[in-house]
Amino acid sequence: MPSFGVILVAAGKSSRFGDTNYKKPFAPLSGRSVWLHAAEKFLDHPDVKQLIVVIAPEDREYFMDKFGPDLAFMGIKVAEGGKQRADSAYNGVSKLNEEIDFVAIHDAARPCLASRWIEDVFATSIKTGAAILATPVVSTLKRINEHQCVTDTVDRNKLWEAQTPQVFSRAMLAEAFTKDTHRTATDEAQMVEAAGHAVTVVRGSPMNIKITSKDDVRLAEQILKVLPKPTLNNQKHPFSDGDIWR
């Protein structure tokens, strides 16, 4: 089976989170920090051979002091982020071992993962070279002007909301990083699309939320309770959650 490396991006400023004590990936959630919930789910997968967490340079001292033992025990490496998300992703990818075949990039602020979703997007990426989790848009979408007035209603047919993980062959992702458009991309799929490659959508779940506010933390606490528990043969280390969505 191909080997997978995972990049957890935790280098943002968390300006909307509104907490002077924690950035959102480091906030406490059901007894552990948000980013650890995500990391544990990936480390439960047998084909994940390496995990890199990307943090802002100004967070390094705090991060190593608080999570150093976890990093050592779980074999996680640390990279420093850049000015743009693409820079942070690139810095993480550059630390991957040569034998890694596929790269999964995941928002560290998305802690509510089920192992089945990871398995589905991994399997699709092997078949197609590029795959992302996403959910169809179900709400009515409005376009507004500078006065906050509605100008028209957007057709939501065939519109999907991108999530992470986003998984690519290493060669395809490396090519995308060479394009000038990569610095303005808001996610890695956009970079790969701009490089001329098709990206396959794998249906995810609305429960795979990205924490932005403190209200999201409270919601994530409830979501973690309803994600199915792992089977025993999926548990690989003492931190394991490894939930499987059926």
Side-chain angles (χ1 to χ4, degrees):
M1 290 294 292
S3 60
F4 287 79
V6 177
I7 310 300
L8 282 186
V9 183
K13 295 187 179 300
S14 296
S15 56
R16 290 176 291 176
F17 191 57
D19 192 314
T20 58
N21 297 312
Y22 300 102
K23 288 186 175 181
K24 58 189 179 184
F26 313 142
L29 170 64
S30 297
R32 297 191 299 284
S33 293
V34 166
W35 78 273
L36 273 171
H37 285 274
E40 291 160 5
K41 296 293 174 54
F42 286 107
L43 291 173
D44 283 339
H45 194 288
D47 296 327
V48 170
K49 305 304 181 183
Q50 193 175 9
L51 191 147
I52 311 289
V53 59
V54 185
I55 60 172
E58 64 267 25
D59 294 331
R60 175 175 279 276
E61 182 177 359
Y62 162 82
F63 190 79
M64 298 307 295
D65 286 346
K66 185 172 179 62
F67 301 111
D70 296 316
L71 298 171
F73 182 77
M74 301 167 82
I76 296 173
K77 290 185 178 180
V78 176
E80 291 188 358
K83 291 183 179 180
Q84 306 295 333
R85 178 186 172 91
D87 299 320
S88 297
Y90 178 85
N91 291 348
V93 172
S94 67
K95 284 187 172 289
L96 289 174
N97 297 332
E98 290 185 4
E99 62 267 24
I100 296 299
D101 302 306
F102 285 81
V103 182
I105 300 179
H106 185 66
D107 300 318
R110 288 189 191 268
C112 299
L113 279 174
S115 294
R116 180 60 181 271
W117 308 338
I118 296 173
E119 182 61 35
D120 287 347
V121 75
F122 275 20
T124 302
S125 72
I126 293 173
K127 294 178 182 177
T128 68
I132 67 171
L133 287 184
T135 55
V137 172
V138 296
S139 298
T140 300
L141 299 177
K142 304 289 186 181
R143 182 179 287 110
I144 65 172
N145 60 21
E146 65 274 15
H147 304 296
Q148 298 293 107
C149 293
V150 174
T151 60
D152 64 298
T153 299
V154 180
D155 183 4
R156 69 188 180 203
N157 185 40
K158 296 185 179 180
L159 290 181
W160 287 61
E161 182 179 351
Q163 300 179 338
T164 63
Q166 301 189 351
V167 190
F168 312 96
S169 75
R170 188 169 185 173
M172 187 181 293
L173 189 60
E175 179 190 353
F177 277 125
T178 67
K179 306 298 181 182
D180 291 339
T181 53
H182 85 274
R183 294 191 180 277
T184 59
T186 57
D187 69 358
E188 290 67 42
Q190 185 178 359
M191 292 168 37
V192 172
E193 295 159 28
H197 300 288
V199 177
T200 304
V201 166
V202 177
R203 188 168 189 139
S205 168
M207 290 191 288
N208 183 19
I209 65 170
K210 183 177 181 180
I211 289 177
T212 302
S213 68
K214 292 181 181 178
D215 286 341
D216 294 331
V217 174
R218 290 187 282 271
L219 178 58
E221 288 174 348
Q222 300 308 310
I223 292 174
L224 290 174
K225 293 177 183 178
V226 300
L227 287 173
K229 300 301 179 184
T231 56
L232 291 177
N233 60 358
N234 283 328
Q235 293 181 320
K236 289 175 56 182
H237 56 75
F239 293 98
S240 174
D241 280 328
D243 302 332
I244 298 178
W245 182 252
R246 300 291 185 188

